[in-house]
Amino acid sequence: MSFLQDPSFFTMGMWSIGAGALGAAALALLLANTDVFLSKPQKAALEYLEDIDLKTLEKEPRTFKAKELWGKNGAVIMAVRRPGCFLCREEAADLSSLKSTLDQLGVPLYAVVKEHIRTEVKDFQPYFKGEIFLDEKKKFYGPQRRKMMFMGFIRLGVWYNFFRAWNGGFSGNLEGEGFILGGVFVVGSGKQGILLEHREKEFGDKVNLLSVLEAAKMIKPQTLASEKK
């Protein structure tokens, strides 16, 4: 047992422990930057979206079924993860840059939020040019709600998104729930269906704007004859 008295034995042991911990940390970092542990989104059926209850944000709110948003002309809808998030504000501004083209197509732009606290929605509106509604039951974030917790802060993609938004001059706050991931939908008129469904896979994972426009151009507005069917 004389080797136990050898200082080099303990030095080697501590080095091995340190190397093992470093290797484990490197492996964890590597895995966190793959999609292995990301929850897989469940596609939403049109019937699911149609039945969602939304509220207006007026002093006397009106509750209505979400299908009213796209019934005649379809719609582009952003499910906002958190209005105060600077990444969400960046995506809202990007979508709003399409507003004139969407207007020409006759396709409205909307957003839904999952909570209405203090002035968060009001402060979000300068970034978003469409109407905003409240989805209290968070249905637009389902059918299976997905969350990104603190793993998001060790993903390189998230940090890239952070710097991109910062460099773009966007800022925000930490008010409200921000872990339930959002998305963007392009829904056709009537029963045409969901033409695009983008689910945020990590913080700041923005929808492709060209894909939004391509989907919006596929919308077939309802005519009086088709409404009567």
Side-chain angles (χ1 to χ4, degrees), residues 157-178:
V158 172
W159 282 99
Y160 171 81
N161 297 338
F162 282 169
F163 287 118
R164 181 196 64 217
W166 277 328
N167 287 335
F170 292 92
S171 61
N173 59 55
L174 298 176
E175 294 284 343
E177 196 287 322

Side-chain angles (χ1 to χ4, degrees), residues 42-60:
Q42 180 182 343
K43 293 288 184 181
L46 179 63
E47 293 74 20
Y48 171 84
L49 294 182
E50 287 179 328
D51 198 46
I52 294 175
D53 288 323
L54 298 177
K55 281 186 177 181
T56 61
L57 299 177
E58 304 158 341
K59 289 184 178 180
E60 297 182 6

Side-chain angles (χ1 to χ4, degrees), residues 157-200:
V158 172
W159 282 99
Y160 171 81
N161 297 338
F162 282 169
F163 287 118
R164 181 196 64 217
W166 277 328
N167 287 335
F170 292 92
S171 61
N173 59 55
L174 298 176
E175 294 284 343
E177 196 287 322
F179 294 119
I180 297 176
L181 297 171
V184 173
F185 299 84
V186 178
V187 187
S189 62
K191 293 291 184 179
Q192 190 178 358
I194 302 170
L195 304 177
L196 180 144
E197 182 176 353
H198 169 77
R199 298 287 186 166
E200 197 179 23

